[in-house]
Amino acid sequence: MAAVLMCPRLPRLSRVTAFSTTAERKAQRGSSKSQKEKRDKPGAAKPGTPPGATIQLLKPRDYRVLYNPAAYAKGRAGPRQHGDRDSSRALGDTFTGPGTVQAPQTFPTASSQALSPVRNALPKAKAKAKPSTLLERSVPAALYKEEAEKDKREVHDSKEDPRTFQKGRPEYRALSCGGAEPAQPLPAEEGAWVLQSVAGGEASPAVLTDGFLKLSRLPAERRAALPSDASFGALCRRAATAIRQFSTPDLIHILKACVPLAVPASHPLLNACEAEFCRRAWDMSLEQLLLVADCWRCLDRSVPSYLGILFSYANLHWKELTLPQFVQLLYIIGEGRRSPADLAQKVESTILKHLDAFTLEELGAVCLGLFKSLSGISEHVMRRIADRVSLQMEDMSTYALVNVLKMLRYTRVDHVPLMRELGRVIPARIPATNIQGIMHIALTYSSLHFFDEGVLAAVATSLPSKVSYCRSKDAAKFLWSFGCLDYEPPNEEEFYSSLIKQLHAKLHEFSKFPEHLLTALLGLAFVKRFPEELIDFALREEFVQKTRGSKYELNKDLFTLDKSVEIECPTYQGSRLSPQLCQEFTEMVSAFAEREIYVRPEIVEATSLLESMLGGPEYVKKHMILPHTRSSDLEVRLATDGRPIPFNFKDHVAAKRLKDVGICLTDDLMSQLLQGRADIQSPTEMGNEARIPRQERGDTTGTPCLAGGATSRAEPRAGLWQPGEVRLALQVSNRNHFCYSSRRLLGLHRLKRRQLRLRGYAVVELPFWEWFPLLRRTRSEKLSYLHYKVFCPALLSRA
């Protein structure tokens, strides 16, 4: 460690990333390229690759990405779209909760300035930022137009794509308002004649209806000018005044005409239409109700009162619903983000009834409607849906397939056949899939803890060329997914540098979706990457205050990030959480551990047996050595000769005072109250321990190592290493610490073990595939296993 501290600042870094804008790279094209040292891993990025960043690999201890603070002015949909963020973080005995933060102040986009590779960059390096900015300003307009066209092709149509299923059956024509373009357009000059004829004299409801229908068939350019036309405004006012004189079919025709006419959602005519449709709803047919609801969706108008009536009507006439009506209803439920609780059971039974009759696009629409409305379905129904999809995946559009994956991760169903078929089918589709679809694919794998290198490599290969289309949410979810699965792809430097650069380019989006910043930074921390400027921003007091006042809980994420920086970036000089906040967060996760983790049978059993084997509770401490990693440890200390060292005197004698009562309630007292004297063993226990060697009980010299004995008078000072002391951190893991059906640790738990070693602990695994089966075996077998783990000669020799 001393040698490390003597090293200059830059060589301490395990990865140093110098980011530059595209324009700056052009300006510096003649300059020499920075040298890279490949990571000690197969498939590292090849030299000469033109990624969006230059990565220099040095010592693996202290990765830091340094940016120029002058590039900024001042300084994690939230939970997945309705809960993604948390479901992807179900990592076993971790302290979890939903997370969203309020916006800090907006930052200018980083892409317009050069980002220096070191904090104390020379003035010469800063001067290069100006030419790059000028270069960016001089880019021909044609290039911007080309980029705009690419954006148009890349981003999916959030209105039309979910409606693709409506093209599969003719019945949907009566349930949906159809496309925005008229089937039989009228000449542009007829628009003026229509407005003039309607404006003159009294017009009947039929004439007004006909006027709206004709205007809706004008060319798009002429329709776009109508909202500002005074004659059209007069027509709308006349229709609103006569709203009750229209028949229901005529009123529906007017509402349908408003879609291609692009009438604003807040227009007075639509206010009048909504009120009238709510008044007439119970006299309309289900087909008419669904058609009107579809029109409201196309007009982007929120109509909660109307939808409430529609759902009540559907509930009463549920048995009359045809298959298309059912799918259309689920589509409306999803787009309205409302989940009628009284329909849940009926929805499930209807899905099962029509499961084999749905088209694949309809099945995708059903899943999307359930997902958007947070409608939970049973595991049985989800498995039935997945069964069918896994058999017909090749015939399913990628959009519909992604919708099924959304619901699969929402319900947390581990459908192995579907995931394996997905791993066979989806890699070839990824290059042609838009960035949001790719993000949902990656997020499904991380949420379900399902590792498939082929899929992840395909995602990583396609992403750098598409990264400019990433929203802040997309970039964050990619980083989280790869970090959660602890996967660094063959093009890892290009992959990570392009995403980190995109975080800077989209920094302004964190003002609306700040939770994505913490999602991204934690995903990076899992794979030992720490972009300092982004971390400095996330840990600033202003940002922290916003998170504390947020609708969601982000304290645990801030805590994990802050302490990870403390351990892995010792020379970091940016913002940090205050000691008071760290103490508050520590108490929060510790309270969670007391309630949820320490009481688990596998941990209770391991603790009890270790205490018995080593000599008493003072030889074992059940706690969180690193509270920010949100999982428990069993700490044991040994001398280099293998002799257990007592140290847990505080927990052994600590009292929990009852409120308003001056009585100390100790563990010994509780044992005496419940079982009799705590130090009296049952004959069986005494017989079992008699067969355990003295060393196994912590007695290597013949002197009992009991609390209060000569060897345990003075407790070692907390946090300081004693001469000749080895500290063990025993990890009682469970399945949720690993990728599905594998022994590959997830990112958070990989980070924990890495940081325990940096703190000087020897990590000892009690993996679930060894320890859980032993819980059903004899006491002596369990003690023998723990003895082997704790007193491993190789472990002591390495220590």
Side-chain angles (χ1 to χ4, degrees), residues 55-80:
I55 308 293
Q56 188 175 12
L57 304 181
L58 300 173
K59 293 187 178 182
R61 163 74 193 277
D62 304 320
Y63 168 73
R64 294 143 64 79
V65 180
L66 302 170
Y67 298 102
N68 178 11
Y72 303 101
K74 183 187 176 188
R76 122 196 220 197
R80 82 166 173 229

Short mmCIF file of all heavy atoms in Angstrom, two decimals, residues 55-80:
data_model
loop_
_atom_site.label_atom_id
_atom_site.label_comp_id
_atom_site.label_asym_id
_atom_site.label_seq_id
_atom_site.Cartn_x
_atom_site.Cartn_y
_atom_site.Cartn_z
N ILE A 55 -9.26 5.05 -24.13
CA ILE A 55 -9.17 4.40 -22.82
C ILE A 55 -7.73 3.96 -22.58
O ILE A 55 -7.14 3.31 -23.43
CB ILE A 55 -10.09 3.19 -22.72
CG1 ILE A 55 -11.50 3.57 -23.14
CG2 ILE A 55 -10.07 2.59 -21.33
CD1 ILE A 55 -12.17 4.51 -22.20
N GLN A 56 -7.17 4.33 -21.45
CA GLN A 56 -5.84 3.89 -21.08
C GLN A 56 -5.94 3.01 -19.86
O GLN A 56 -6.52 3.42 -18.85
CB GLN A 56 -4.95 5.10 -20.78
CG GLN A 56 -3.48 4.72 -20.58
CD GLN A 56 -2.62 5.95 -20.40
OE1 GLN A 56 -3.16 7.02 -20.20
NE2 GLN A 56 -1.33 5.79 -20.47
N LEU A 57 -5.45 1.80 -19.94
CA LEU A 57 -5.59 0.84 -18.86
C LEU A 57 -4.30 0.78 -18.06
O LEU A 57 -3.24 0.44 -18.60
CB LEU A 57 -5.91 -0.54 -19.41
CG LEU A 57 -7.17 -0.59 -20.28
CD1 LEU A 57 -7.39 -2.00 -20.74
CD2 LEU A 57 -8.34 -0.08 -19.50
N LEU A 58 -4.42 1.09 -16.80
CA LEU A 58 -3.25 1.04 -15.94
C LEU A 58 -3.50 0.06 -14.82
O LEU A 58 -4.01 -1.01 -15.04
CB LEU A 58 -2.96 2.46 -15.42
CG LEU A 58 -2.68 3.49 -16.55
CD1 LEU A 58 -2.59 4.87 -15.98
CD2 LEU A 58 -1.44 3.14 -17.34
N LYS A 59 -3.18 0.40 -13.59
CA LYS A 59 -3.36 -0.54 -12.50
C LYS A 59 -4.83 -0.81 -12.26
O LYS A 59 -5.65 0.09 -12.33
CB LYS A 59 -2.71 0.01 -11.24
CG LYS A 59 -1.19 0.07 -11.36
CD LYS A 59 -0.57 0.46 -10.03
CE LYS A 59 0.94 0.48 -10.16
NZ LYS A 59 1.58 0.81 -8.88
N PRO A 60 -5.20 -2.05 -11.95
CA PRO A 60 -6.62 -2.40 -11.80
C PRO A 60 -7.23 -1.91 -10.51
O PRO A 60 -8.39 -2.12 -10.30
CB PRO A 60 -6.60 -3.93 -11.85
CG PRO A 60 -5.25 -4.29 -11.34
CD PRO A 60 -4.33 -3.21 -11.81
N ARG A 61 -6.50 -1.26 -9.64
CA ARG A 61 -7.04 -0.92 -8.32
C ARG A 61 -8.00 0.25 -8.38
O ARG A 61 -9.10 0.21 -7.87
CB ARG A 61 -5.88 -0.61 -7.36
CG ARG A 61 -6.30 0.14 -6.09
CD ARG A 61 -7.02 -0.76 -5.12
NE ARG A 61 -7.67 -0.01 -4.07
CZ ARG A 61 -7.07 0.43 -2.98
NH1 ARG A 61 -5.80 0.18 -2.78
NH2 ARG A 61 -7.73 1.10 -2.06
N ASP A 62 -7.57 1.34 -9.01
CA ASP A 62 -8.31 2.59 -8.82
C ASP A 62 -8.79 3.17 -10.14
O ASP A 62 -8.25 4.14 -10.63
CB ASP A 62 -7.42 3.63 -8.12
CG ASP A 62 -6.89 3.10 -6.81
OD1 ASP A 62 -7.65 2.44 -6.10
OD2 ASP A 62 -5.72 3.35 -6.53
N TYR A 63 -9.78 2.59 -10.72
CA TYR A 63 -10.31 3.13 -11.97
C TYR A 63 -10.99 4.46 -11.72
O TYR A 63 -11.76 4.63 -10.81
CB TYR A 63 -11.34 2.19 -12.58
CG TYR A 63 -12.08 2.85 -13.68
CD1 TYR A 63 -11.46 3.09 -14.90
CD2 TYR A 63 -13.37 3.32 -13.49
CE1 TYR A 63 -12.12 3.75 -15.89
CE2 TYR A 63 -14.03 3.97 -14.48
CZ TYR A 63 -13.40 4.19 -15.68
OH TYR A 63 -14.05 4.85 -16.68
N ARG A 64 -10.67 5.42 -12.55
CA ARG A 64 -11.31 6.73 -12.45
C ARG A 64 -11.42 7.32 -13.85
O ARG A 64 -10.50 7.23 -14.65
CB ARG A 64 -10.49 7.69 -11.58
CG ARG A 64 -10.40 7.29 -10.14
CD ARG A 64 -9.03 7.60 -9.57
NE ARG A 64 -8.77 9.02 -9.57
CZ ARG A 64 -9.27 9.86 -8.67
NH1 ARG A 64 -10.06 9.41 -7.73
NH2 ARG A 64 -8.98 11.13 -8.70
N VAL A 65 -12.54 7.92 -14.13
CA VAL A 65 -12.70 8.68 -15.36
C VAL A 65 -12.74 10.13 -14.97
O VAL A 65 -13.58 10.54 -14.19
CB VAL A 65 -14.01 8.30 -16.09
CG1 VAL A 65 -14.14 9.10 -17.37
CG2 VAL A 65 -13.99 6.82 -16.42
N LEU A 66 -11.80 10.92 -15.49
CA LEU A 66 -11.66 12.30 -15.06
C LEU A 66 -12.13 13.24 -16.17
O LEU A 66 -11.76 13.08 -17.33
CB LEU A 66 -10.20 12.60 -14.71
CG LEU A 66 -9.63 11.69 -13.61
CD1 LEU A 66 -8.14 11.89 -13.51
CD2 LEU A 66 -10.30 11.98 -12.30
N TYR A 67 -12.90 14.24 -15.80
CA TYR A 67 -13.38 15.21 -16.77
C TYR A 67 -12.99 16.61 -16.32
O TYR A 67 -12.68 16.85 -15.17
CB TYR A 67 -14.90 15.13 -16.91
CG TYR A 67 -15.40 13.82 -17.39
CD1 TYR A 67 -15.96 12.90 -16.52
CD2 TYR A 67 -15.28 13.49 -18.73
CE1 TYR A 67 -16.40 11.68 -16.97
CE2 TYR A 67 -15.73 12.27 -19.19
CZ TYR A 67 -16.28 11.37 -18.31
OH TYR A 67 -16.72 10.17 -18.76
N ASN A 68 -13.11 17.52 -17.26
CA ASN A 68 -12.83 18.91 -16.95
C ASN A 68 -14.05 19.56 -16.33
O ASN A 68 -15.08 19.68 -16.98
CB ASN A 68 -12.44 19.63 -18.25
CG ASN A 68 -12.17 21.10 -18.02
OD1 ASN A 68 -12.07 21.54 -16.88
ND2 ASN A 68 -12.04 21.84 -19.10
N PRO A 69 -13.96 20.03 -15.09
CA PRO A 69 -15.15 20.63 -14.46
C PRO A 69 -15.64 21.86 -15.19
O PRO A 69 -16.79 22.23 -15.10
CB PRO A 69 -14.65 20.99 -13.05
CG PRO A 69 -13.41 20.18 -12.85
CD PRO A 69 -12.82 19.99 -14.20
N ALA A 70 -14.76 22.51 -15.93
CA ALA A 70 -15.17 23.72 -16.64
C ALA A 70 -16.18 23.44 -17.74
O ALA A 70 -16.78 24.35 -18.29
CB ALA A 70 -13.94 24.40 -17.25
N ALA A 71 -16.34 22.15 -18.06
CA ALA A 71 -17.31 21.81 -19.11
C ALA A 71 -18.74 21.94 -18.64
O ALA A 71 -19.66 21.79 -19.42
CB ALA A 71 -17.05 20.40 -19.62
N TYR A 72 -18.94 22.21 -17.36
CA TYR A 72 -20.29 22.30 -16.81
C TYR A 72 -20.49 23.64 -16.12
O TYR A 72 -19.56 24.26 -15.64
CB TYR A 72 -20.54 21.16 -15.82
CG TYR A 72 -20.33 19.83 -16.45
CD1 TYR A 72 -19.14 19.14 -16.24
CD2 TYR A 72 -21.27 19.31 -17.31
CE1 TYR A 72 -18.92 17.93 -16.86
CE2 TYR A 72 -21.06 18.11 -17.93
CZ TYR A 72 -19.88 17.42 -17.71
OH TYR A 72 -19.67 16.24 -18.32
N ALA A 73 -21.75 24.03 -16.02
CA ALA A 73 -22.05 25.31 -15.39
C ALA A 73 -21.92 25.22 -13.89
O ALA A 73 -21.16 25.93 -13.26
CB ALA A 73 -23.46 25.75 -15.78
N LYS A 74 -22.67 24.32 -13.32
CA LYS A 74 -22.67 24.13 -11.88
C LYS A 74 -23.37 22.85 -11.56
O LYS A 74 -24.28 22.43 -12.22
CB LYS A 74 -23.38 25.28 -11.17
CG LYS A 74 -23.34 25.16 -9.65
CD LYS A 74 -24.18 26.22 -9.00
CE LYS A 74 -24.21 26.02 -7.50
NZ LYS A 74 -25.15 26.91 -6.84
N GLY A 75 -22.86 22.48 -10.54
CA GLY A 75 -23.52 21.35 -10.02
C GLY A 75 -23.88 21.51 -8.58
O GLY A 75 -23.55 22.49 -7.99
N ARG A 76 -33.24 7.82 -11.51
CA ARG A 76 -32.29 6.66 -12.10
C ARG A 76 -34.28 7.86 -11.68
O ARG A 76 -34.72 8.38 -10.87
CB ARG A 76 -32.06 5.51 -11.86
CG ARG A 76 -31.97 4.81 -11.89
CD ARG A 76 -31.77 3.54 -10.87
NE ARG A 76 -31.36 3.39 -11.34
CZ ARG A 76 -31.83 2.99 -10.58
NH1 ARG A 76 -32.70 3.46 -10.66
NH2 ARG A 76 -31.99 2.17 -10.74
N ALA A 77 -39.15 7.55 -16.61
CA ALA A 77 -39.76 6.52 -16.22
C ALA A 77 -39.62 5.98 -14.94
O ALA A 77 -40.10 5.16 -14.50
CB ALA A 77 -39.65 5.52 -17.23
N GLY A 78 -38.70 6.36 -14.55
CA GLY A 78 -38.60 6.16 -13.14
C GLY A 78 -38.35 4.73 -12.85
O GLY A 78 -37.80 4.00 -13.57
N PRO A 79 -38.64 4.47 -11.83
CA PRO A 79 -38.63 3.04 -11.66
C PRO A 79 -39.02 2.53 -13.00
O PRO A 79 -39.75 3.20 -13.67
CB PRO A 79 -39.71 2.80 -10.63
CG PRO A 79 -40.44 4.08 -10.52
CD PRO A 79 -39.63 5.14 -11.11
N ARG A 80 -38.49 1.43 -13.41
CA ARG A 80 -38.68 0.96 -14.77
C ARG A 80 -40.00 1.48 -15.26
O ARG A 80 -40.80 1.93 -14.48
CB ARG A 80 -38.69 -0.56 -14.83
CG ARG A 80 -40.02 -1.11 -14.47
CD ARG A 80 -40.05 -2.52 -14.89
NE ARG A 80 -41.25 -3.00 -14.35
CZ ARG A 80 -41.39 -4.07 -13.67
NH1 ARG A 80 -40.38 -4.81 -13.49
NH2 ARG A 80 -42.52 -4.42 -13.20
#
